[in-house]
Amino acid sequence: MTTETQLMLTPDQKNMIFENMSDGVMTVDADGIITYFNSACANIFEITDPSDIIGMSFSSCFMANKKNRAFNRLFDGCINNNERPEKVNVRYRSGDITKHINIAISLIHPEDTSLSGIEVFPGMIILIEDTTDKFTLRQHEHDCAYIFAGLIICTSLFLFAWSLLRFTLHIYLRSSTYTFIIECITFALFLEIVFMTSFSMRDIGLVPKLSTLKKNCLETLIIAAVTCSLLLLSKVFLNFIGIRIKPYFIGGSFHGAYVYIFTSFVQEFLARGVIQTSVKYLMRVKYQKTFGIILTSLLFSLMHIPLGFYFMSGAMLLSLALGYIYERHGNIWGCVFLHWCCGYLGMCLYF
């Protein structure tokens, strides 16, 4: 920049340029004191008033957390060793916030040219770009790729084994055996999520939001009461017109109902926490939630194909309804309860 151009920009104009930048700008003098801090920088570090930072030590404000090893090492080398680092992406944690930021540091050349050869810290200008959203998206794509690979492998092996037993070896397994296989697949995927992905327990629907918990519980109970009533009325109506699907009105047992609680949890974690969550994160398109519900229900019903077409169709309809409930509530617990009471009652009445 020429001297003539510099004279054309007043301090207020320079400040306006920095304030309108989307990247954070911070300046630190030779004593390590923050002399400028724009609004974008305050938003990145979630600081309410930038003026509270100006005049404070950079080290005490941003280098106190020892967990930020890469961040601290970068600025420690710059301040203490007068190093000129390249632009680098680091993770920064402060309290409950975790950010991924691109940092570019420029050392300020001293105005006194006689001091230019002295190896002392001259101050610095820091440009900061918040890349948290980009990093999160890339991480979720990586996580979903792992999950889908595991899901496709498990589902393919499941259907291959069923086809081999049923059509080649003519071995007919009990429905409880197929249910147990699905539970094993779910447990394997749970281990994959815990040890190979960055998904939190809230991401996969295991931790509900306390602010909406009461509302969700009430809504779940109402839906369960209405659905169970409709199932009973439909069975009464079919018996009345002479259509008997089973030789008795209702089947099942208390032991079966007790065991089905665990089955409902496992299947809802697989369908909603694993498949639907992964599809939603991957499909960045219009109506992504709707596509997630439909694709999840198709795959979930396909895993019930050994139990017959009608059972598979019932699983499809139930999965569509529970997928919608999952998107409303943001956790699987309401879906688990509805799956248990409505699903088990439906099996007792019709299967």
Side-chain angles (χ1 to χ4, degrees), residues 39-223:
S39 299
C41 204
N43 291 333
I44 292 172
F45 291 106
E46 298 187 8
I47 295 173
T48 306
D49 189 358
S51 61
D52 294 340
I53 298 296
I54 297 175
M56 297 184 65
S57 168
F58 176 84
S59 298
S60 62
C61 289
F62 297 103
M63 297 176 63
N65 190 348
K66 295 183 179 180
K67 293 182 179 180
N68 298 321
R69 294 192 181 97
F71 182 90
N72 294 344
R73 186 166 56 249
L74 175 68
F75 285 99
D76 183 67
C78 184
I79 295 173
N80 296 326
N81 301 325
N82 207 19
E83 296 176 352
R84 296 167 176 78
E86 299 291 334
K87 187 175 183 180
V88 65
N89 187 281
V90 297
R91 182 173 63 178
Y92 179 83
R93 286 177 288 188
S94 177
D96 295 332
I97 69 168
T98 299
K99 296 282 186 176
H100 291 268
I101 51 180
N102 267 331
I103 297 178
I105 303 174
S106 298
L107 296 181
I108 302 174
H109 296 287
E111 296 180 1
D112 186 352
T113 57
S114 64
L115 300 176
S116 58
I118 301 177
E119 292 297 325
V120 294
F121 175 63
M124 58 185 171
I125 300 175
I126 309 169
L127 295 179
I128 304 172
E129 178 189 5
D130 189 355
T131 59
T132 305
D133 291 339
K134 295 179 181 178
F135 178 86
T136 302
L137 179 59
R138 288 196 302 269
Q139 186 64 47
H140 279 162
E141 290 175 348
H142 173 270
D143 294 341
C144 292
Y146 267 109
I147 292 173
F148 266 108
L151 183 62
I152 291 172
I153 291 172
C154 290
T155 304
S156 299
L157 291 175
F158 170 64
L159 294 177
F160 176 81
W162 168 72
S163 178
L164 176 65
L165 294 172
R166 178 72 179 270
F167 299 110
T168 303
L169 302 178
H170 302 290
I171 299 175
Y172 297 88
L173 300 178
R174 298 172 58 184
S175 60
S176 58
T177 304
Y178 293 115
T179 301
F180 176 74
I181 295 174
I182 294 176
E183 291 169 356
C184 291
I185 291 173
T186 305
F187 182 70
L189 291 173
F190 175 75
L191 294 178
E192 183 184 25
I193 290 173
V194 171
F195 294 106
M196 300 183 66
T197 73
S198 63
F199 282 122
S200 66
M201 295 298 102
R202 185 180 295 277
D203 290 333
I204 56 179
L206 293 179
V207 179
K209 294 181 179 178
L210 296 179
S211 58
T212 59
L213 183 60
K214 183 178 179 180
K215 178 181 177 181
N216 293 344
C217 290
L218 180 61
E219 184 177 291
T220 300
L221 291 173
I222 293 174
I223 294 174

Side-chain angles (χ1 to χ4, degrees), residues 268-297:
E268 283 309 303
F269 173 74
L270 173 63
R272 252 48 69 182
V274 177
I275 304 175
Q276 189 167 322
T277 300
S278 301
V279 171
K280 183 172 65 175
Y281 277 124
L282 280 177
M283 298 190 64
R284 299 290 174 174
V285 296
K286 191 176 182 181
Y287 306 119
Q288 67 183 67
K289 292 182 179 180
T290 303
F291 277 113
I293 293 171
I294 294 174
L295 292 177
T296 299
S297 300

